[in-house]
Amino acid sequence: MWGTNMHYEIINVRENPEYLETAVDYFSSKWGIDRQIYHASISDSISTKKPVPRWYLMKDGERIIGAFGLIENDFMVRKDLLPWLCALYIEEDLRGKALGALLLEHGRKEAHELGFSKLFICTDHIGYYEKYGWQFFGEEESEFGGKTRVYVVDTALPLT
């Protein structure tokens, strides 16, 4: 699965606040969302006493190769569903190497350690998350209008 020269680490920005600006730039550039939105949430993750938000970077040496966040709500109308795994990203040249699966599993474990029994994700991908133990939850309303697919995973069960 891994090349012999790939040695990744997953960094929790809360525990490594020196990555704040790097994380903000990375997420903003990959998702095309205003930098200030990410800056507010990632800054909050460093100082909050609440369990979320939390933001993570996957690195191979000095190169950031992927990332994700755990947040209270991913622009969904239903506020009773939380937390959400968001902004999952793997660099295009490294896709197909199960790095996304590693980030999903890390997110599941982190959510469990933060005291959550379920973890949600909204996506238009069909078939990807199911491969890793996520279950289709239903179509839910987005704050932007329209419905989006929502998946859920039990945080106490390891993903397969």
Side-chain angles (χ1 to χ4, degrees):
M1 170 170 42
W2 298 97
T4 55
N5 61 352
M6 183 174 271
H7 302 287
Y8 74 93
E9 64 178 318
I10 300 173
I11 294 167
N12 181 337
V13 178
R14 176 185 177 85
E15 296 166 2
N16 298 275
E18 68 273 17
Y19 282 95
L20 171 64
E21 296 300 327
T22 301
V24 169
D25 290 340
Y26 188 81
F27 282 103
S28 181
S29 71
K30 298 306 175 186
W31 291 103
I33 294 174
D34 188 290
R35 192 177 185 286
Q36 293 300 58
I37 292 172
Y38 281 116
H39 197 281
S41 183
I42 298 171
S43 293
D44 186 37
S45 79
I46 293 169
S47 60
T48 188
K49 302 237 186 273
K50 293 180 181 181
V52 289
R54 295 289 188 265
W55 295 90
Y56 304 85
L57 299 172
M58 178 183 261
K59 292 180 62 186
D60 177 18
E62 291 304 307
R63 180 184 180 204
I64 298 172
I65 59 172
F68 75 94
L70 295 176
I71 59 175
E72 191 169 307
N73 187 281
D74 199 5
F75 304 107
M76 301 300 291
V77 170
R78 286 191 61 182
K79 305 301 182 199
D80 60 317
L81 306 177
L82 70 130
W84 294 80
L85 191 141
C86 70
L88 179 68
Y89 190 86
I90 296 295
E91 290 295 325
E92 288 185 27
D93 64 316
L94 295 173
R95 292 180 186 169
K97 300 181 185 304
L99 297 176
L102 293 173
L103 290 181
L104 288 172
E105 177 64 2
H106 191 79
R108 182 202 61 79
K109 286 179 183 176
E110 291 284 304
H112 183 72
E113 289 175 13
L114 292 167
F116 296 104
S117 61
K118 305 254 183 254
L119 179 59
F120 298 89
I121 194 165
C122 57
T123 182
D124 56 359
H125 293 288
I126 298 173
Y128 180 75
Y129 296 98
E130 294 93 330
K131 291 189 302 190
Y132 303 112
W134 292 70
Q135 302 292 316
F136 179 65
F137 181 81
E139 298 266 340
E140 295 293 333
E141 193 73 29
S142 165
E143 289 178 354
F144 303 117
K147 294 198 178 240
T148 188
R149 295 177 65 82
V150 172
Y151 289 84
V152 64
V153 69
D154 181 334
T155 65
L157 301 175
L159 300 179
T160 55

